[in-house]
Amino acid sequence: QIKVGGTLVSKTVLDIECQSLQVETTGALTLDSASGGSDVWRNSISTLQAEDVTVDGTFMAGALDEGTGWDNLRVGGTFALQVHGDELLVNVFQITQSGTVDILNPVVIKGRDHPLVQELTMERSSSLTLDKGGVA
């Protein structure tokens, strides 16, 4: 289990394998910061292989491969990423009140264990932007 309650910045890509990743309300996690901000296309790709991903703070992932997919993704803070490939594999995807997810590229959101997502929930005042980079 990885918990980020402070500020963690990696100037290069990272390969992370864990049961769960939690960016707490006070936390900020930035991967591959040397390649630019969250709206900059990247060729280098970080990997986050986890069952559960919770973002209550800020997670600027850059280009990210979710490995075999995530069982649960819950965002109550800010999560910005460029999905590696054209599919985001997640069983349960929740964006809680005031949560924001910005995906730079066009993607298809599919289930990890089944062809379809089991649950997709967006609460009041939440936001999900697909293809924020305007590729499609």
Side-chain angles (χ1 to χ4, degrees):
Q1 177 178 353
I2 298 173
K3 285 187 180 182
V4 179
T7 300
L8 175 58
V9 177
S10 173
K11 293 189 181 241
T12 61
V13 297
L14 285 180
D15 291 328
I16 302 168
E17 189 170 333
C18 58
Q19 180 66 29
S20 68
L21 172 73
Q22 180 180 2
V23 181
E24 297 177 338
T25 305
T26 57
L29 174 58
T30 303
L31 304 180
D32 193 22
S33 67
S35 293
S38 64
D39 58 344
V40 175
W41 287 94
R42 291 168 162 72
N43 294 321
S44 300
I45 301 160
S46 293
T47 301
L48 174 56
Q49 177 69 51
E51 284 294 303
D52 301 305
V53 177
T54 302
V55 181
D56 289 321
T58 302
F59 185 10
M60 300 298 177
L64 190 65
D65 182 342
E66 78 277 13
T68 58
W70 302 320
D71 188 31
N72 294 291
L73 172 60
R74 189 180 69 72
V75 179
T78 301
F79 185 23
L81 71 155
Q82 171 191 330
V83 175
H84 176 64
D86 60 357
E87 294 181 343
L88 176 62
L89 303 176
V90 59
N91 288 331
V92 177
F93 188 176
Q94 298 174 312
I95 307 174
T96 62
Q97 189 170 356
S98 300
T100 300
V101 178
D102 291 330
I103 300 178
L104 192 61
N105 54 317
V107 295
V108 175
I109 301 172
K110 298 174 83 173
R112 180 189 74 172
D113 299 327
H114 305 283
L116 302 175
V117 174
Q118 293 173 351
E119 178 183 333
L120 175 62
T121 304
M122 291 183 64
E123 293 182 3
R124 181 177 9 148
S125 302
S126 64
S127 170
L128 172 60
T129 303
L130 304 173
D131 192 24
K132 185 172 183 180
V135 174

